[in-house]
Amino acid sequence: MQVWVYAGAVTHVVQPSSVPVDRRARRAKSDGIDAELLLRTLLAWFRGEPRVCSMVPIPDEADEDERRRVREREDLVAERISLVNRVGAVLATLGVRDYNPLRRDRRARLEALRTALGDPLPPHARARILRMLDRLELVCAQIAELERMRDAVLEEEAPDKAEGMIQQLAGLRGIGVQSATVLVREAFVREFANGKTLGSYAGLTPTPFSSGTTEREQGIGKAGNRRLRTVMIELAWLWQRYQPGSAQASWFRERVGGTGRRMRKVMVVAMARRLLIALWRFATQGVVPEGAVLNPAP
């Protein structure tokens, strides 16, 4: 937990979804009731009652601002995919296939396209595609600019703490600068008491259901940072390929054995949680993951 001290006042930020509420079908709700519930919950937390609520870690203002570039690139990539799909949808209605708007010769190839009947593209369809290509080129240019700024961190000779962690993580085989940047900017710049709180922040903690004779596992909570969770699942698959001798990859192979594809998808989530904690210790404490291999020095 982090607190703000501003003008002599200490501020605590309570996570709203962690506050227990009445589960009746129709419960009374008003600002007064919510304020009273929040006050009683906060007093219980100050008394030391466990699991009464969760406090939101307050990030540093500079660290929070640095995350904007990572998230802006994610938005731009989604916009690029949308534009590519929309160009393909327009061409599909005309019976045109095998046109990739991401190629450098996209405009020259567009002029050579013919419909399924062998006719040139209709003028309004062609004009609409050209306007979408204008937007696509702008988006691609902005993505390239953000990636140049991202990659410049690796060449920084006097990095700050966060940039140093990015350089350190990118030195591991199988971890690129994009994954390292997401890990550091979304998670490792924050303070975590232990690996369990880090796994909870990523939404990779299990949610068991045990009542009477009924016991089952409901999967991961998914209540944490979506971007961090996504990149860790991707890294868990890549880790098996580029770090086969690591302790995490060996642990995964021992448990999946000859099981099917579904069990591999389930177990890779558990591996992602273990790998996240190992990478966090490597970035913050310098503890190299057991069996991991570093990239050769340039």
Side-chain angles (χ1 to χ4, degrees):
M1 182 203 70
Q2 296 183 4
V3 296
W4 276 345
V5 180
Y6 180 74
V10 180
T11 303
H12 299 269
V13 181
V14 181
Q15 183 182 5
S17 59
S18 68
V19 178
V21 297
D22 195 339
R23 297 177 58 188
R24 286 178 291 186
R26 291 186 178 180
R27 65 181 183 89
K29 184 184 185 306
S30 66
D31 293 341
I33 294 177
D34 291 343
E36 181 184 358
L37 175 62
L38 183 60
L39 180 59
R40 287 191 283 107
T41 303
L42 189 60
L43 291 175
W45 182 82
F46 274 115
R47 290 195 300 268
E49 297 185 17
R51 298 183 180 180
V52 67
C53 69
S54 297
M55 291 294 171
V56 179
I58 303 174
D60 183 81
E61 185 176 354
D63 293 334
E64 185 70 13
D65 188 60
E66 284 291 341
R67 296 201 301 181
R68 299 187 188 279
R69 287 191 299 181
V70 177
R71 298 186 174 187
E72 182 184 2
R73 180 186 178 275
E74 180 185 4
D75 295 337
L76 290 173
V77 169
E79 187 174 351
R80 182 181 64 186
I81 295 173
S82 175
L83 287 169
V84 170
N85 292 340
R86 287 160 63 185
V87 171
V90 173
L91 293 176
T93 61
L94 302 174
V96 179
R97 300 178 181 273
D98 300 328
Y99 176 76
N100 184 4
L102 294 178
R103 289 180 50 161
R104 294 184 179 180
D105 59 346
R106 48 185 167 264
R107 293 184 180 271
R109 294 188 69 246
L110 181 65
E111 300 298 331
L113 290 179
R114 293 295 182 269
T115 65
L117 300 178
D119 301 326
L121 296 181
H124 293 298
R126 177 179 172 277
R128 182 183 180 187
I129 293 175
L130 287 174
R131 286 190 291 269
M132 286 191 288
L133 290 181
D134 292 339
R135 296 197 295 273
L136 179 62
E137 290 171 352
L138 175 60
V139 169
C140 290
Q142 292 177 342
I143 292 176
E145 177 62 23
L146 287 173
E147 290 178 347
R148 282 193 295 269
M149 297 170 65
R150 176 201 65 190
D151 297 341
V153 174
L154 298 181
E155 307 299 331
E156 186 67 42
E157 297 182 356
D160 57 20
K161 181 179 179 182
E163 293 172 344
M165 288 192 290
I166 293 175
Q167 294 179 358
Q168 191 171 355
L169 286 170
L172 282 172
R173 181 182 298 175
I175 297 184
V177 60
Q178 175 63 24
S179 300
T181 303
V182 174
L183 288 175
V184 173
R185 298 302 184 188
E186 294 290 344
F188 295 168
V189 293
R190 295 172 178 253
E191 296 292 335
F192 296 97
N194 48 50
K196 184 177 180 180
T197 58
L198 175 60
S200 178
Y201 174 75
L204 291 172
T205 52
T207 52
F209 182 90
S210 178
S211 178
T213 59
T214 302
E215 291 188 7
R216 68 175 183 270
E217 180 57 54
Q218 302 178 106
I220 58 176
K222 293 187 179 182
N225 190 305
R226 172 182 57 82
R227 297 173 180 86
L228 178 62
R229 183 169 60 253
T230 299
V231 76
M232 282 312 307
I233 297 298
E234 294 174 353
L235 282 178
W237 290 113
L238 292 173
W239 197 258
Q240 301 172 48
R241 177 179 179 182
Y242 293 101
Q243 299 282 3
S246 64
Q248 293 78 19
S250 301
W251 177 88
F252 180 80
R253 288 194 300 268
E254 290 175 0
R255 279 155 180 78
V256 296
T259 58
R261 182 179 302 178
R262 181 183 178 278
M263 184 54 63
R264 292 177 61 87
K265 291 182 179 180
V266 172
M267 293 304 299
V268 79
V269 177
M271 176 184 170
R273 182 170 60 250
R274 298 170 65 92
L275 179 60
L276 174 62
I277 297 173
L279 295 178
W280 171 62
R281 290 172 178 166
F282 173 66
T284 57
Q285 305 171 20
V287 181
V288 180
E290 183 180 354
V293 179
L294 301 175
N295 289 322

